[in-house]
Amino acid sequence: MHEKFMARAIEIAREAVDTPGTLPYGAVVVKDGEIIGEGLNRSTANCDPTSHGEVEAIRDACRRLSLTSLKGADLYTSGEPCSMCVATMYQVGIARLYYAGAADDSAAFFQRLAAHDPKWARSQSNQELREQVGLPIDKRDMAAEQMQREGILAVYEAFINSHT
């Protein structure tokens, strides 16, 4: 059964060969032996850097089920997910991940694309992204400054009061 779901993720990825604005990263979310969500990387087409195959499959599954939790579901993807996709999987409760290509395979793919056209060059590798995301906020390369904490704490309190 695993082979069937991975084959579908790769089939979705293959759609990118002939679909403008997409990249060959496809994914499916599976629960109780059924595909409940599918996604293809549409970052360029949607002008949305979060439109990765895994995130799109999760969005599709959540919409179909009218839920924001996919606890216990599995995710099959054509490529080892980036940190953003992994964080999204944890956020919704994906239990198991199955992937075809490794992060090194994806890096080589983008290097070959960028050699032909610099627009495909990545600002960071998946490994660099993982390292930065895992650091405490004050240790990351991206500057960060906390502001107006009291204001948001008041909003949190108002929300709790209106919903309990």
Side-chain angles (χ1 to χ4, degrees), residues 4 6 18 56 71 73 75 81 94 109 111 116 118-119 158:
K4 174 178 94 169
M6 183 58 74
D18 297 316
E56 290 300 319
K71 189 171 184 169
L75 192 139
I94 297 293
F109 164 73
Q111 284 176 341
H116 294 285
K119 78 175 182 184

Side-chain angles (χ1 to χ4, degrees), residues 112-134:
R112 288 183 61 203
L113 274 178
H116 294 285
D117 187 340
K119 78 175 182 184
W120 297 108
R122 295 289 176 224
S123 59
Q124 287 187 321
S125 70
N126 275 342
Q127 184 58 37
E128 292 167 323
L129 179 61
R130 282 189 176 101
E131 290 168 4
Q132 286 297 308
V133 169

Side-chain angles (χ1 to χ4, degrees), residues 53 66 68 74 84-85 112 151:
S66 298
T68 57
D74 299 335
M84 176 190 69
C85 293
R112 288 183 61 203

Side-chain angles (χ1 to χ4, degrees), residues 31-108:
K31 188 150 187 178
D32 300 324
E34 298 292 326
I35 293 176
I36 60 171
E38 297 187 341
L40 174 64
N41 182 310
R42 297 180 184 281
S43 292
T44 303
N46 294 342
C47 298
D48 178 357
T50 69
S51 184
H52 290 194
E54 299 88 347
V55 172
E56 290 300 319
I58 289 168
R59 288 173 179 161
D60 184 42
C62 288
R63 273 190 228 102
R64 286 185 194 193
L65 301 177
S66 298
L67 298 170
T68 57
S69 173
L70 301 174
K71 189 171 184 169
D74 299 335
L75 192 139
Y76 295 77
T77 182
S78 62
E80 183 179 346
C82 73
S83 296
M84 176 190 69
C85 293
V86 171
T88 304
M89 287 181 241
Y90 273 105
Q91 187 73 27
V92 300
I94 297 293
R96 285 167 299 281
L97 166 67
Y98 302 92
Y99 64 97
D104 289 346
D105 299 322
S106 186

